[in-house]
Amino acid sequence: MSRPPWLIVPAAGSGRRMDADRPKQYLPLAGRTVMWHTLRRLHSVFPGARLCLCLDEADACFDPSSVPFAHWQRVAGGAERADSVRNALEWIAGQEEDDQALVFVHDVARPCVSPEDLRHLYAALAEDAVGGLLAAPVADTMKRDDGQGRVAATEERAGLWHALTPQGFRLGVLRQALDAARRAELPSTDEASAVEATGLSPRLVFGRRDNLKITHPDDLVLAEQILAAQASCSLSPAGEEAD
Ligand code: C5P
């Protein structure tokens, strides 16, 4: 790997949908926390990367010993995910002179991202002027509701993808896109949508469907099973889960 990407991990959400006593990144998963696993996965592939971790300023659960990176920085989270990522980008821009530097953004709530997908995404974006994202083709038939619990329409599924993370973009492209989205008051739940709004087309990089985003209480059970299945298939590098 010529130069590892910058890493941004937005972790300033409250995870209200989990209905738990603490933010979901601090819930237990296979003997550790969700955040521990997520950061270990990133570190296993990008050990030399510099990490920007977005945390709520009032966060009382964060444990710095869960961060395996030698070079990392805590930045303040914002009101929305995009604000947290913008704060991290501003900090990176103060350290990085190269507008073309690659920046990967990965949700802290995705601890099952596979090392293979991380390597694949990095290789796919290394020479890409814009950037792109891990994504999985939609397999199910898609329904749109009418707001009353009934089907209003069946959506055409061909060509539809689930947007996953990491999403990786050139530093300059991503800063401009998120700044423009904020000025236009565009809701952006991921980086790609902000980049798309500038007229650019992010690259879709095929990603595994088990790159689950922990959102609801059942997801923790599923994530634990995915981690166990991945370990038994040797998807994780030897020793990654040990520490
Ligand atoms: O709530 P949701 O799962 O969509 O959040 C996606 C990611 O964005 C999570 O990693 C969460 O911690 C992060 N986030 C953030 N700042 C916010 C809201 C969410 O860093 N204000």
Side-chain angles (χ1 to χ4, degrees):
M1 188 175 297
S2 52
R3 191 183 170 198
W6 284 89
L7 299 176
I8 296 177
V9 173
S14 58
R16 248 174 247 114
R17 285 170 289 185
M18 286 299 287
D19 201 19
D21 60 351
R22 68 199 100 156
K24 58 186 173 184
Q25 58 269 28
Y26 300 117
L27 292 173
L29 173 64
R32 303 282 187 167
T33 62
V34 171
M35 179 185 281
W36 187 93
H37 286 283
T38 303
L39 295 180
R40 282 297 184 296
R41 282 285 157 110
L42 293 171
H43 185 260
S44 72
V45 176
F46 307 119
R50 284 171 290 178
L51 166 75
C52 225
L53 190 56
C54 311
L55 297 172
D56 191 292
E57 282 177 311
D59 187 329
C61 302
F62 175 62
D63 173 6
S65 73
S66 67
V67 182
F69 291 87
H71 303 288
W72 67 279
Q73 176 70 31
R74 173 177 179 158
V75 299
E80 305 291 336
R81 181 184 183 282
D83 301 314
S84 298
V85 174
R86 282 178 72 251
N87 289 349
L89 285 171
E90 286 318 299
W91 187 82
I92 292 172
Q95 315 290 310
E96 173 65 73
E97 289 176 356
D98 183 5
D99 245 17
Q100 298 301 307
L102 199 50
V103 180
F104 275 19
V105 184
H106 183 62
D107 289 331
V108 74
R110 292 186 188 270
C112 303
V113 63
S114 75
E116 285 76 7
D117 272 6
L118 291 172
R119 283 188 209 102
H120 189 194
L121 182 69
Y122 179 81
L125 300 186
E127 303 299 330
D128 196 292
V130 178
L133 63 151
L134 284 179
V138 165
D140 300 307
T141 301
M142 304 299 283
K143 302 291 184 193
R144 183 170 298 282
D145 72 53
D146 64 357
Q148 314 289 325
R150 288 186 172 275
V151 174
T154 299
E155 300 291 338
E156 176 59 59
R157 134 185 111 184
L160 281 188
W161 296 69
H162 295 278
L164 311 172
T165 74
Q167 304 200 354
F169 292 95
R170 301 288 157 192
L171 174 61
V173 167
L174 189 53
R175 283 183 78 202
Q176 278 176 18
L178 287 180
D179 285 350
R182 185 186 167 91
R183 281 195 302 275
E185 296 182 12
L186 287 179
S188 32
T189 50
D190 72 349
E191 289 61 55
S193 53
V195 172
E196 292 154 38
T198 69
L200 296 170
S201 296
R203 181 179 292 271
L204 289 162
V205 179
F206 186 90
R208 294 169 55 101
R209 292 199 302 156
D210 61 6
N211 182 0
L212 170 78
K213 184 167 84 163
I214 292 176
T215 307
H216 301 288
D218 288 357
D219 295 336
L220 276 173
V221 179
L222 195 52
E224 193 148 335
Q225 290 167 352
I226 291 170
L227 290 179
Q230 290 178 343
S232 70
C233 296
S234 302
L235 255 177
S236 315
E240 185 206 337
E241 311 296 8
D243 189 333

